[in-house]
Amino acid sequence: MRPFVPKDWLVAGALVLGGLFIFFVDLSPLQGADDGAAYGLVVALAAYFGRRQVIASAILGGVLTVVAPFVGGDPGESMLAVVSGRLSGLIVITIFTAVLLHLISTNATVAASDKEMDAYQQALSKITRLALSDTRPLLERFQIITELTTQALNAQTACVARVVGDVPQLRLYDVWDQRLGQHLAGSPTGPSSSGDEISLAIQNGGALAIEDLRLSPIHKDVQPFFENLKLRGLLHAVAVYRDAAIGSIVVAYEQPHRFSEREIAFAKSVAQVVALTFALYQSERTVQRLDYVSQGIFVLGQDGDVVYANLAARQLADSDDAAPPMPFALPPLLGVGDHHQIRIGEREYEIFRSRLAGEEILVRIDDVTARNVAMAEAAYLEGQLKESAKLEAMGQMAAGVAHDFNNILAAITGFALGLNRKLDGLTVERSVVERILGVCKKGQAMTKEILGFARTATVARDPIDLAALIASDLDEIQGECEGAAILSVQQPDGPLPIYGNPAQLTQLVQNLIVNATHACEGGDGRITVTAGRASREELRKLTAAAGRSQERLLGVVNDSHAYCYLRVADNGHGIPADVLDHIFEPFFTTKGRRKGSGLGLVIVHGVVDSHQGCCHVRSRPGEGTVFTIYLPLLAQEAIAAA
């Protein structure tokens, strides 16, 4: 009973005074039904304190109604009139009391119902907040659900289960026993009747209420299971997600239990929280798996802001934020999807955009740098293979032609020499013969070049020092300039041990200097010859440089080898980009018939190829040309053996 407050004392005083006033008024004259109605008002006022006070006031009013005639009633009234009046008063008091008691009972029922509804709403709100808005593991979330559900429904046991198998069975995740105050591991799967329960629950709107398991026909075969747990009443609500049963919440009681509509509705609401918890857990796992994907994945909202980014995307944006801004700008997506290729620094990316439901946009970013490099290298190697095969075929053909042509020239030269001896004294005729001999000499020089081109891959090679070779051939190298340009030869700081053929390498340098000399004609020509050890960074940039319009690379650099370089640079007129693609082709020349045979750079290519090296050319019209030959250095063991 709640303690009295000043307002309660006022009401109590009004009750006492009102009752006494009505009693004294009732003494003269006796009013019967009117007095009963007056006492009824006092009874109604007593309703402020509750049911028992109403009954007590009614009894007191009835007693006063009966006693009033004997205390001060009108002696002129007949006994029948007095009894009739008193009975009327009692009837009125009784009616007032019955109505008030019913009203109090109704209010109490409504208050209890509201209290129960508030308790369910608070429990459901707490379950939803902790299960869906928390970072706890899945098992802990289900433990919270079972504890709060048991508490809200005043049950003894509750469990959360997952629907598994083609024939639906329940896999128990957590079982909470209120009687023991602990979570039980339970069995891996529920009883064999769980499949039937799921089907019936779905047919009944998502929940199946069993008042007494002993009377349930679908649980007849599993009675020992529930008897062992001492359970009689059962409420099974199915968790449905996207029209499929994925789980259940099961609540059980020790005694038979008649389930109310509110209890069933609450259990169905908890089942939906269970379904969302399963779905959220799967979504979280999917999102976590996306962090192991090498592709960067952004999801853009309707306003274009990033709402999700996986680990690769965050690394690309160089940010630890969960949803960092994209590191590049793209035009608006007009259709359902598009494709872009961009470059950020030294990395190349492919971007695929797709429009999702709800107008969100999925952006997939794939780093294709390695793929593009591999494709470029494959295309380059294929071109090198074709070029080598072409040069080899042309070399074989040229060798055959040169031998036959050399035999013809030898016969012509022999006849011309014999004729020249017989024409002693005949000046005019001898001059013709000498012109024939001069032409034959030029033809023999050309066949010598052709044979040199054909033999570049067949000569013997030995360990030599490229630096020493350049120093020993310095006079021959300088003699190739023919006074058309200033030649500068810079000796390397140390030895450059390689496997090579001295004659071929000397021919290579001479051919490059001859080309440089021709390129410098008509100006203040300067030619520089340098050699040294190539750095790793220089070698790494070779492949990338080969794709530029003013650069070409012939040959392949082996990353496991160290290399030296031999560089010939001039400040001549340079080579146009369209000519660069043909400078290593046999018999291609831009010097005219009198100055070039078109075999000088072909021989350079053959020598480089036979030495397992590569040749890099960089040229720009008006700025000169740089030929750099890269040759593999000998390992220390090979140097020691030599």
Side-chain angles (χ1 to χ4, degrees):
M1 182 178 179
R2 62 183 177 85
F4 268 51
V5 296
K7 182 179 179 181
D8 297 336
W9 289 109
L10 290 175
V11 175
L15 283 172
V16 173
L17 294 175
L20 293 175
F21 176 76
I22 294 172
F23 177 71
F24 286 114
V25 171
D26 190 26
L27 293 179
S28 59
L30 298 173
Q31 299 298 321
D34 294 337
D35 295 333
Y39 282 120
L41 294 176
V42 175
V43 173
L45 187 61
Y48 173 80
F49 293 102
R51 181 184 181 86
R52 287 183 296 177
Q53 286 73 13
V54 168
I55 295 175
S57 298
I59 293 174
L60 179 60
V63 171
L64 293 177
T65 300
V66 174
V67 171
F70 300 101
V71 176
D74 186 358
E77 289 188 0
S78 64
M79 181 59 66
L80 179 61
V82 172
V83 173
S84 176
R86 296 303 95 187
L87 288 176
S88 298
L90 290 175
I91 291 173
V92 172
I93 293 174
T94 302
I95 293 173
F96 265 85
T97 302
V99 171
L100 288 172
L101 289 178
H102 179 72
L103 180 61
I104 291 173
S105 177
T106 301
N107 289 338
T109 301
V110 172
S113 177
D114 291 342
K115 183 178 180 181
E116 182 184 38
M117 179 62 69
D118 289 341
Y120 287 154
Q121 290 179 347
Q122 292 177 8
L124 185 61
S125 176
K126 189 174 183 179
I127 289 172
T128 303
R129 185 179 70 255
L130 296 178
L132 301 181
S133 303
D134 204 7
T135 57
R136 292 184 175 92
L138 184 63
L139 179 59
E140 289 188 20
R141 300 185 194 188
F142 287 145
Q143 289 176 345
I144 292 172
I145 292 175
T146 54
E147 288 185 27
L148 294 179
T149 302
T150 302
Q151 180 181 350
L153 292 176
N154 196 25
Q156 280 72 56
T157 304
C159 75
V160 171
R162 180 71 181 266
V163 176
V164 295
D166 296 333
V167 178
Q169 288 289 311
L170 294 179
R171 179 179 180 270
L172 304 182
Y173 268 84
D174 177 64
V175 179
W176 168 250
D177 194 323
Q178 184 72 31
R179 298 164 297 185
L180 301 177
Q182 64 182 15
H183 294 273
L184 306 177
S187 59
T189 57
S192 58
S193 63
S194 57
D196 297 331
E197 287 185 23
I198 295 171
S199 300
L200 288 175
I202 294 176
Q203 293 175 10
N204 291 337
L208 178 65
I210 306 297
E211 182 176 345
D212 191 347
L213 288 167
R214 293 180 180 177
L215 304 178
S216 172
I218 66 172
H219 296 92
K220 181 178 180 181
D221 297 333
V222 292
Q223 284 298 328
F225 177 82
F226 291 104
E227 291 290 346
N228 184 51
L229 297 176
K230 299 179 180 179
L231 298 175
R232 295 283 297 276
L234 183 139
L235 177 59
H236 184 164
V238 179
V240 178
Y241 183 74
R242 292 182 177 177
D243 299 327
I246 63 172
S248 293
I249 176 75
V250 181
V251 182
Y253 295 79
E254 284 185 327
Q255 301 299 326
H257 186 86
R258 183 180 295 277
F259 293 95
S260 67
E261 292 297 326
R262 288 186 176 178
E263 289 175 328
I264 296 174
F266 175 76
K268 291 166 68 173
S269 298
V270 174
Q272 292 310 304
V273 176
V274 171
L276 292 176
T277 303
F278 276 121
L280 179 63
Y281 177 69
Q282 292 298 329
S283 298
E284 290 172 350
R285 292 187 63 186
T286 301
V287 170
Q288 290 173 357
R289 292 189 184 103
L290 289 178
D291 281 341
Y292 295 97
V293 176
S294 60
Q295 286 184 329
I297 298 176
F298 288 96
V299 178
L300 309 182
Q302 295 183 4
D303 55 0
D305 293 336
V306 176
V307 297
Y308 169 76
N310 71 341
L311 178 61
R314 297 194 297 271
Q315 291 175 344
L316 182 62
D318 193 20
S319 174
D320 294 329
D321 295 342
M326 292 180 60
F328 44 79
L330 294 174
L333 178 61
L334 301 179
V336 297
D338 62 9
H339 172 234
H340 298 271
Q341 290 187 346
I342 64 171
R343 186 181 185 92
I344 302 177
E346 296 185 356
R347 312 299 297 177
E348 298 177 2
Y349 299 92
E350 281 188 349
I351 302 174
F352 301 88
R353 294 192 296 178
S354 303
R355 196 177 298 279
L356 304 176
E359 294 303 313
E360 291 184 330
I361 297 176
L362 174 67
V363 182
R364 295 185 293 113
I365 305 173
D366 194 5
D367 188 339
V368 295
T369 306
R371 186 200 69 184
N372 289 352
V373 169
M375 291 175 62
E377 289 182 352
Y380 171 73
L381 291 175
E382 182 180 0
Q384 291 292 300
L385 181 61
K386 291 180 179 179
E387 185 68 19
S388 297
K390 181 176 69 175
L391 289 176
E392 182 179 359
M394 294 188 68
Q396 293 175 354
M397 181 187 70
V401 172
H403 278 294
D404 293 341
F405 186 56
N406 201 37
N407 292 335
I408 295 173
L409 289 176
I412 295 174
T413 300
F415 287 123
L417 287 174
L419 184 60
N420 191 40
R421 286 193 295 268
K422 294 180 179 181
L423 295 176
D424 188 20
L426 299 177
T427 304
V428 177
E429 289 80 359
R430 287 195 65 178
S431 64
V432 174
V433 173
E434 287 176 354
R435 289 177 63 184
I436 293 174
L437 290 174
V439 172
C440 289
K441 186 177 181 180
K442 288 183 179 180
Q444 288 172 345
M446 181 175 291
T447 57
K448 184 178 180 181
E449 287 189 10
I450 295 175
L451 290 173
F453 160 62
R455 289 197 300 266
T456 53
T458 61
V459 297
R461 292 170 186 84
D462 298 301
I464 61 172
D465 183 0
L466 181 61
L469 179 66
I470 294 174
S472 63
D473 293 343
L474 188 58
D475 292 338
E476 293 185 35
I477 293 173
Q478 290 178 336
E480 297 294 339
C481 285
E482 302 176 352
I486 299 174
L487 176 64
S488 173
V489 180
Q490 299 177 7
Q491 292 291 336
D493 296 333
L496 302 173
I498 63 171
Y499 265 120
N501 181 275
Q504 284 190 339
L505 293 173
T506 300
Q507 183 67 44
L508 178 148
V509 177
Q510 291 175 344
N511 287 1
L512 291 177
I513 292 176
V514 169
N515 270 19
T517 302
H518 292 164
C520 293
E521 289 180 349
D524 184 14
R526 292 187 302 275
I527 302 173
T528 302
V529 179
T530 57
R533 292 178 179 265
S535 66
R536 289 288 183 184
E537 183 66 17
E538 180 181 353
L539 296 173
R540 186 184 65 81
K541 294 180 179 179
L542 282 179
T543 303
R548 298 171 187 166
S549 61
Q550 297 297 329
E551 299 186 40
R552 296 294 184 273
L553 177 67
L554 292 179
V556 180
V557 174
N558 190 331
D559 294 336
S560 63
H561 290 166
Y563 285 79
C564 65
Y565 66 85
L566 172 63
R567 184 170 293 124
V568 177
D570 66 69
N571 64 342
H573 51 68
I575 306 174
D578 58 336
V579 176
L580 272 179
D581 293 328
H582 305 287
I583 60 175
F584 292 101
E585 294 180 0
F587 307 111
F588 176 82
T589 180
T590 60
K591 303 172 186 177
R593 295 178 57 186
R594 295 184 178 274
K595 284 192 174 181
S597 63
L599 293 174
L601 290 180
V602 176
I603 292 175
V604 170
H605 182 199
V607 172
V608 171
D609 187 61
S610 66
H611 283 72
Q612 289 82 48
C614 63
C615 176
H616 175 257
V617 186
R618 183 178 71 252
S619 183
R620 191 179 299 274
E623 297 181 9
T625 303
V626 179
F627 281 87
T628 305
I629 310 301
Y630 293 93
L631 301 173
L633 288 166
L634 282 178
Q636 293 297 327
E637 296 79 1
I639 296 174

